[in-house]
């Protein structure tokens, strides 16, 4: 299939007789026809780096210390379990995205496979998740910048980074891709260098290192591999699962590339080594350089503590630069992702029609500005009511990642049959051992959600996220009921009926 130069909406099944096409406006007009559509402005190198950098969030740099302190060396198993889950989910998503590239990705596939309510609900929940992430990352970046330039208040730095990245996204999709290429490139180079230098120090061959080289002894010499018991592996899973959110961004971005199928195939096939190197490799280096219960791992951060242990000068400031890059990358991708999801929802009639309009450069300006406005509101809440309103937003979006992965699994179960019936030649990426591994992944994700209910912090996230999800589903069902009544009422008045 030759890729089209523009993207005008998700591939849809033919409407069943008597059923309204949910993507069409009044009178049956397709909103996708009212705009040029998104442009194929992302190059192959952009997509490659977006795919690689998408799995590297700031949480890996600043949050891994807490997981190590909770589970000890066994945190490696936590990362491996979640990593395996993400690999399977990405394989399922890759199967659908390679066959039907769409700016709405899993939301569009849920719409086709499970129904309008599913596409509407998961699309808005995902948008909500990233809007809250914008506030979190803007605040994190502002704290680092304020430390460097204290004359500028933190709120001003948050405003500056939000405005700059909003402008970047408004220029063109190519400018987003270029920024993300360099942001992700810095993250990739930094982790690669960290793993290489760390392993040299582990084996005592790093010139001038303060670390004598203990090999892999630290994995077992302080209370064994399971110092907190085997159950701590599951506790670790809860602490690391959300740091993997973002791996699915490449399937949204692929719709604006020159060769979506090729981009999705490459991203899907490379996810295994990306997780193995960036997550398991870097955490393994930390655990082999330092005993897991070293106080500096939590106090300074796992990466800074590891660099300090081998005598790297100014490691704290070096890591601050890398963390800031990761934060800006997450902000850049979060705004892009939220706006493209809003665009897709608008195209399908599940959001204001203005969201589906693009300017002369193929940029969905209304979708971007609407997303960033809510991002600014969330930033304000973070500064004004951090322990009440913003904490509610944070907790109520906490389990959305798992909901998204569940919807991807159930959508793929149905979409395989739809693709085989309508365009079997497009099934260029296949889920392994279908449907058994799909059902196994569903069981794994469900287990994590249930286990979260046994954890005080996790319980609040799951319950509040379920509450918000229930409200969104209720809205979608009410909208569907009204739409069906309007269509049936119109048919009853039609003299030809």
């Amino acid at each position: 299939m030759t890729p089209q130069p523009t993207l005008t909406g998700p591939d849809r099944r033919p409407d069943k007789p008597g059923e309204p096409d949910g993507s069409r406006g009044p009178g049956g007009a397709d909103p996708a026809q009212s705009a040029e559509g998104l442009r194929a402005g992302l190059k192959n190198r952009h997509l490659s780096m977006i795919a690689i950098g998408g799995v590297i969030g700031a949480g890996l740099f600043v949050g891994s210390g807490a997981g190590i302190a909770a589970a000890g060396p066994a945190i490696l198993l936590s990362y491996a379990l979640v990593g395996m889950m993400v690999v399977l989910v990405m394989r399922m998503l890759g199967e659908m995205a390679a066959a039907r590239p769409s700016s709405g990705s899993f939301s569009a596939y849920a719409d086709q496979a499970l129904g309008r309510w599913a596409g509407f609900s998961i699309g808005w929940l995902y948008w909500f998740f990233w809007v809250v992430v914008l506030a979190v990352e803007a605040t994190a970046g502002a704290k680092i910048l304020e430390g460097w330039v204290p004359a500028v208040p933190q709120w001003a730095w948050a405003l500056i980074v939000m405005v700059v990245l909003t402008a970047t996204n408004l220029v063109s999709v190519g400018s987003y891709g270029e920024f993300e290429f360099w942001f992700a490139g810095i993250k990739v180079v930094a982790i690669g260098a960290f793993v290489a230098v760390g392993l040299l120090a582990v084996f005592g061959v790093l010139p001038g290192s303060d670390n004598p080289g203990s090999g892999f002894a630290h994995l077992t010499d302080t209370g064994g591999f399971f110092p907190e018991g085997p159950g701590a592996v599951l506790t670790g899973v809860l602490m690391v699962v959300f740091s993997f959110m973002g791996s699915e961004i490449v399937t949204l971005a692929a719709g604006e590339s020159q060769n979506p199928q090729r981009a999705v195939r490459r991203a899907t096939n490379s996810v295994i080594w990306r997780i193995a190197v960036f997550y398991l490799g870097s955490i393994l280096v930390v655990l082999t350089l330092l005993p897991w219960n070293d106080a500096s791992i939590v106090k300074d951060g796992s990466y800074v503590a590891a660099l300090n242990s081998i005598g790297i000068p100014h490691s704290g400031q070096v890591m601050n630069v890398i963390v800031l890059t990761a934060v800006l990358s997450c902000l850049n991708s979060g705004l892009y992702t939220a706006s493209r999801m809003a665009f897709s929802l608008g195209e399908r009639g599940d959001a204001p029609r203005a969201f589906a309009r693009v300017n002369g450069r193929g940029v969905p300006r209304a979708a971007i500005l609407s997303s960033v406005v809510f991002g600014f509101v969330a930033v304000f809440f973070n500064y004004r009511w951090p322990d009440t309103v913003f904490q509610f937003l944070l907790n109520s979006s906490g389990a959305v990642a798992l909901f998204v992965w569940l919807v991807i699994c159930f959508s793929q179960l149905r979409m395989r049959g739809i693709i085989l019936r309508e365009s079997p030649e497009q099934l260029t990426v296949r889920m392994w051992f279908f449907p058994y591994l799909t059902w196994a992944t569903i069981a794994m994700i469900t287990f994590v959600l249930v286990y979260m209910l046994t954890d005080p912090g996790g319980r609040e996230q799951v319950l509040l996220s379920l509450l918000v999800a229930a409200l969104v589903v209720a809205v979608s069902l009410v909208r569907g009921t009204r739409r069906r009544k309007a269509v049936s009422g119109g048919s009853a008045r039609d003299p030809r009926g």
Side-chain angles (χ1 to χ4, degrees), residues 381-382 385-397 460-461 464:
F381 287 156
N382 195 7
W385 300 290
D387 299 323
T388 53
V389 178
F390 186 73
Q391 192 62 36
F392 170 80
L393 293 178
L394 202 60
N395 286 332
S396 60
S397 64
E460 185 176 10
Q461 289 188 25
L464 287 178

PDB file of all heavy atoms in Angstrom, residues 381-382 385-397 460-461 464:
ATOM      1  N   PHE A 381      -3.202  24.791  39.124  1.00  0.00           N
ATOM      2  CA  PHE A 381      -3.682  23.969  40.249  1.00  0.00           C
ATOM      3  C   PHE A 381      -2.507  23.407  41.048  1.00  0.00           C
ATOM      4  O   PHE A 381      -2.562  23.308  42.276  1.00  0.00           O
ATOM      5  CB  PHE A 381      -4.545  22.810  39.746  1.00  0.00           C
ATOM      6  CG  PHE A 381      -5.906  23.228  39.272  1.00  0.00           C
ATOM      7  CD1 PHE A 381      -6.615  22.450  38.359  1.00  0.00           C
ATOM      8  CD2 PHE A 381      -6.498  24.389  39.739  1.00  0.00           C
ATOM      9  CE1 PHE A 381      -7.876  22.818  37.929  1.00  0.00           C
ATOM     10  CE2 PHE A 381      -7.760  24.775  39.302  1.00  0.00           C
ATOM     11  CZ  PHE A 381      -8.446  23.983  38.394  1.00  0.00           C
ATOM     12  N   ASN A 382      -1.437  23.034  40.335  1.00  0.00           N
ATOM     13  CA  ASN A 382      -0.271  22.467  41.004  1.00  0.00           C
ATOM     14  C   ASN A 382       0.385  23.485  41.934  1.00  0.00           C
ATOM     15  O   ASN A 382       0.890  23.134  43.002  1.00  0.00           O
ATOM     16  CB  ASN A 382       0.733  21.976  39.959  1.00  0.00           C
ATOM     17  CG  ASN A 382       1.784  21.061  40.557  1.00  0.00           C
ATOM     18  OD1 ASN A 382       1.712  20.678  41.727  1.00  0.00           O
ATOM     19  ND2 ASN A 382       2.782  20.711  39.767  1.00  0.00           N
ATOM     20  N   TRP A 385      -3.134  24.675  44.584  1.00  0.00           N
ATOM     21  CA  TRP A 385      -3.693  23.630  45.459  1.00  0.00           C
ATOM     22  C   TRP A 385      -2.998  22.293  45.193  1.00  0.00           C
ATOM     23  O   TRP A 385      -3.609  21.333  44.711  1.00  0.00           O
ATOM     24  CB  TRP A 385      -5.193  23.481  45.225  1.00  0.00           C
ATOM     25  CG  TRP A 385      -5.981  24.727  45.487  1.00  0.00           C
ATOM     26  CD1 TRP A 385      -6.235  25.305  46.695  1.00  0.00           C
ATOM     27  CD2 TRP A 385      -6.640  25.542  44.503  1.00  0.00           C
ATOM     28  NE1 TRP A 385      -7.005  26.428  46.536  1.00  0.00           N
ATOM     29  CE2 TRP A 385      -7.270  26.604  45.198  1.00  0.00           C
ATOM     30  CE3 TRP A 385      -6.765  25.479  43.112  1.00  0.00           C
ATOM     31  CZ2 TRP A 385      -8.003  27.591  44.541  1.00  0.00           C
ATOM     32  CZ3 TRP A 385      -7.490  26.460  42.459  1.00  0.00           C
ATOM     33  CH2 TRP A 385      -8.096  27.492  43.174  1.00  0.00           C
ATOM     34  N   PRO A 386      -1.698  22.207  45.500  1.00  0.00           N
ATOM     35  CA  PRO A 386      -0.949  20.985  45.165  1.00  0.00           C
ATOM     36  C   PRO A 386      -1.417  19.748  45.914  1.00  0.00           C
ATOM     37  O   PRO A 386      -1.288  18.632  45.407  1.00  0.00           O
ATOM     38  CB  PRO A 386       0.491  21.354  45.544  1.00  0.00           C
ATOM     39  CG  PRO A 386       0.347  22.422  46.584  1.00  0.00           C
ATOM     40  CD  PRO A 386      -0.868  23.205  46.196  1.00  0.00           C
ATOM     41  N   ASP A 387      -1.933  19.917  47.135  1.00  0.00           N
ATOM     42  CA  ASP A 387      -2.297  18.757  47.956  1.00  0.00           C
ATOM     43  C   ASP A 387      -3.774  18.408  47.901  1.00  0.00           C
ATOM     44  O   ASP A 387      -4.203  17.454  48.550  1.00  0.00           O
ATOM     45  CB  ASP A 387      -1.897  19.008  49.421  1.00  0.00           C
ATOM     46  CG  ASP A 387      -0.399  19.223  49.571  1.00  0.00           C
ATOM     47  OD1 ASP A 387       0.352  18.542  48.852  1.00  0.00           O
ATOM     48  OD2 ASP A 387       0.005  20.089  50.374  1.00  0.00           O
ATOM     49  N   THR A 388      -4.543  19.174  47.159  1.00  0.00           N
ATOM     50  CA  THR A 388      -5.984  18.899  47.081  1.00  0.00           C
ATOM     51  C   THR A 388      -6.420  18.699  45.635  1.00  0.00           C
ATOM     52  O   THR A 388      -6.528  17.572  45.155  1.00  0.00           O
ATOM     53  CB  THR A 388      -6.782  20.047  47.739  1.00  0.00           C
ATOM     54  OG1 THR A 388      -6.359  21.304  47.157  1.00  0.00           O
ATOM     55  CG2 THR A 388      -6.548  20.070  49.239  1.00  0.00           C
ATOM     56  N   VAL A 389      -6.644  19.807  44.922  1.00  0.00           N
ATOM     57  CA  VAL A 389      -7.163  19.704  43.563  1.00  0.00           C
ATOM     58  C   VAL A 389      -6.191  18.975  42.639  1.00  0.00           C
ATOM     59  O   VAL A 389      -6.566  18.030  41.937  1.00  0.00           O
ATOM     60  CB  VAL A 389      -7.471  21.107  42.996  1.00  0.00           C
ATOM     61  CG1 VAL A 389      -7.979  20.991  41.551  1.00  0.00           C
ATOM     62  CG2 VAL A 389      -8.493  21.815  43.861  1.00  0.00           C
ATOM     63  N   PHE A 390      -4.913  19.403  42.669  1.00  0.00           N
ATOM     64  CA  PHE A 390      -3.962  18.773  41.753  1.00  0.00           C
ATOM     65  C   PHE A 390      -3.699  17.325  42.140  1.00  0.00           C
ATOM     66  O   PHE A 390      -3.522  16.476  41.256  1.00  0.00           O
ATOM     67  CB  PHE A 390      -2.648  19.554  41.719  1.00  0.00           C
ATOM     68  CG  PHE A 390      -1.705  19.022  40.684  1.00  0.00           C
ATOM     69  CD1 PHE A 390      -1.940  19.235  39.328  1.00  0.00           C
ATOM     70  CD2 PHE A 390      -0.587  18.280  41.042  1.00  0.00           C
ATOM     71  CE1 PHE A 390      -1.082  18.730  38.364  1.00  0.00           C
ATOM     72  CE2 PHE A 390       0.268  17.776  40.087  1.00  0.00           C
ATOM     73  CZ  PHE A 390       0.026  18.001  38.744  1.00  0.00           C
ATOM     74  N   GLN A 391      -3.679  17.030  43.423  1.00  0.00           N
ATOM     75  CA  GLN A 391      -3.472  15.650  43.848  1.00  0.00           C
ATOM     76  C   GLN A 391      -4.611  14.760  43.362  1.00  0.00           C
ATOM     77  O   GLN A 391      -4.390  13.601  42.975  1.00  0.00           O
ATOM     78  CB  GLN A 391      -3.368  15.576  45.376  1.00  0.00           C
ATOM     79  CG  GLN A 391      -2.875  14.228  45.898  1.00  0.00           C
ATOM     80  CD  GLN A 391      -1.469  13.889  45.431  1.00  0.00           C
ATOM     81  OE1 GLN A 391      -0.616  14.769  45.320  1.00  0.00           O
ATOM     82  NE2 GLN A 391      -1.217  12.622  45.140  1.00  0.00           N
ATOM     83  N   PHE A 392      -5.823  15.313  43.351  1.00  0.00           N
ATOM     84  CA  PHE A 392      -6.960  14.562  42.813  1.00  0.00           C
ATOM     85  C   PHE A 392      -6.756  14.292  41.322  1.00  0.00           C
ATOM     86  O   PHE A 392      -6.978  13.169  40.855  1.00  0.00           O
ATOM     87  CB  PHE A 392      -8.260  15.340  43.021  1.00  0.00           C
ATOM     88  CG  PHE A 392      -9.435  14.744  42.299  1.00  0.00           C
ATOM     89  CD1 PHE A 392     -10.114  13.657  42.825  1.00  0.00           C
ATOM     90  CD2 PHE A 392      -9.852  15.255  41.070  1.00  0.00           C
ATOM     91  CE1 PHE A 392     -11.187  13.089  42.146  1.00  0.00           C
ATOM     92  CE2 PHE A 392     -10.914  14.701  40.380  1.00  0.00           C
ATOM     93  CZ  PHE A 392     -11.589  13.624  40.923  1.00  0.00           C
ATOM     94  N   LEU A 393      -6.332  15.311  40.572  1.00  0.00           N
ATOM     95  CA  LEU A 393      -6.084  15.117  39.142  1.00  0.00           C
ATOM     96  C   LEU A 393      -5.005  14.063  38.918  1.00  0.00           C
ATOM     97  O   LEU A 393      -5.132  13.198  38.051  1.00  0.00           O
ATOM     98  CB  LEU A 393      -5.650  16.437  38.503  1.00  0.00           C
ATOM     99  CG  LEU A 393      -6.680  17.563  38.438  1.00  0.00           C
ATOM    100  CD1 LEU A 393      -6.061  18.810  37.832  1.00  0.00           C
ATOM    101  CD2 LEU A 393      -7.900  17.143  37.649  1.00  0.00           C
ATOM    102  N   LEU A 394      -3.958  14.129  39.724  1.00  0.00           N
ATOM    103  CA  LEU A 394      -2.845  13.194  39.588  1.00  0.00           C
ATOM    104  C   LEU A 394      -3.301  11.758  39.859  1.00  0.00           C
ATOM    105  O   LEU A 394      -3.019  10.844  39.081  1.00  0.00           O
ATOM    106  CB  LEU A 394      -1.732  13.594  40.558  1.00  0.00           C
ATOM    107  CG  LEU A 394      -0.308  13.125  40.252  1.00  0.00           C
ATOM    108  CD1 LEU A 394       0.147  13.656  38.902  1.00  0.00           C
ATOM    109  CD2 LEU A 394       0.633  13.592  41.349  1.00  0.00           C
ATOM    110  N   ASN A 395      -4.001  11.561  40.963  1.00  0.00           N
ATOM    111  CA  ASN A 395      -4.454  10.215  41.324  1.00  0.00           C
ATOM    112  C   ASN A 395      -5.524   9.693  40.370  1.00  0.00           C
ATOM    113  O   ASN A 395      -5.558   8.499  40.062  1.00  0.00           O
ATOM    114  CB  ASN A 395      -4.979  10.203  42.755  1.00  0.00           C
ATOM    115  CG  ASN A 395      -3.873  10.287  43.780  1.00  0.00           C
ATOM    116  OD1 ASN A 395      -2.748   9.856  43.530  1.00  0.00           O
ATOM    117  ND2 ASN A 395      -4.151  10.848  44.937  1.00  0.00           N
ATOM    118  N   SER A 396      -6.389  10.573  39.902  1.00  0.00           N
ATOM    119  CA  SER A 396      -7.485  10.121  39.036  1.00  0.00           C
ATOM    120  C   SER A 396      -7.007   9.790  37.627  1.00  0.00           C
ATOM    121  O   SER A 396      -7.761   9.213  36.838  1.00  0.00           O
ATOM    122  CB  SER A 396      -8.589  11.177  38.982  1.00  0.00           C
ATOM    123  OG  SER A 396      -8.103  12.397  38.482  1.00  0.00           O
ATOM    124  N   SER A 397      -5.767  10.155  37.299  1.00  0.00           N
ATOM    125  CA  SER A 397      -5.211   9.761  35.998  1.00  0.00           C
ATOM    126  C   SER A 397      -4.160   8.665  36.160  1.00  0.00           C
ATOM    127  O   SER A 397      -3.590   8.200  35.175  1.00  0.00           O
ATOM    128  CB  SER A 397      -4.574  10.970  35.301  1.00  0.00           C
ATOM    129  OG  SER A 397      -3.468  11.456  36.038  1.00  0.00           O
ATOM    130  N   GLU A 460      -6.019   4.184  45.942  1.00  0.00           N
ATOM    131  CA  GLU A 460      -6.622   5.494  45.666  1.00  0.00           C
ATOM    132  C   GLU A 460      -6.549   5.811  44.175  1.00  0.00           C
ATOM    133  O   GLU A 460      -7.509   6.332  43.596  1.00  0.00           O
ATOM    134  CB  GLU A 460      -5.912   6.572  46.479  1.00  0.00           C
ATOM    135  CG  GLU A 460      -6.550   7.948  46.343  1.00  0.00           C
ATOM    136  CD  GLU A 460      -5.889   8.986  47.233  1.00  0.00           C
ATOM    137  OE1 GLU A 460      -4.823   8.691  47.814  1.00  0.00           O
ATOM    138  OE2 GLU A 460      -6.438  10.098  47.340  1.00  0.00           O
ATOM    139  N   GLN A 461      -5.419   5.489  43.553  1.00  0.00           N
ATOM    140  CA  GLN A 461      -5.279   5.757  42.127  1.00  0.00           C
ATOM    141  C   GLN A 461      -6.277   4.953  41.307  1.00  0.00           C
ATOM    142  O   GLN A 461      -6.930   5.485  40.406  1.00  0.00           O
ATOM    143  CB  GLN A 461      -3.856   5.446  41.674  1.00  0.00           C
ATOM    144  CG  GLN A 461      -2.819   6.428  42.175  1.00  0.00           C
ATOM    145  CD  GLN A 461      -1.460   6.193  41.547  1.00  0.00           C
ATOM    146  OE1 GLN A 461      -1.360   5.646  40.452  1.00  0.00           O
ATOM    147  NE2 GLN A 461      -0.413   6.593  42.235  1.00  0.00           N
ATOM    148  N   LEU A 464     -10.009   6.225  42.033  1.00  0.00           N
ATOM    149  CA  LEU A 464     -10.299   7.531  41.441  1.00  0.00           C
ATOM    150  C   LEU A 464     -10.258   7.464  39.914  1.00  0.00           C
ATOM    151  O   LEU A 464     -11.073   8.103  39.235  1.00  0.00           O
ATOM    152  CB  LEU A 464      -9.300   8.576  41.949  1.00  0.00           C
ATOM    153  CG  LEU A 464      -9.489   9.024  43.403  1.00  0.00           C
ATOM    154  CD1 LEU A 464      -8.410  10.022  43.803  1.00  0.00           C
ATOM    155  CD2 LEU A 464     -10.873   9.644  43.601  1.00  0.00           C
TER     156      LEU A 464
END
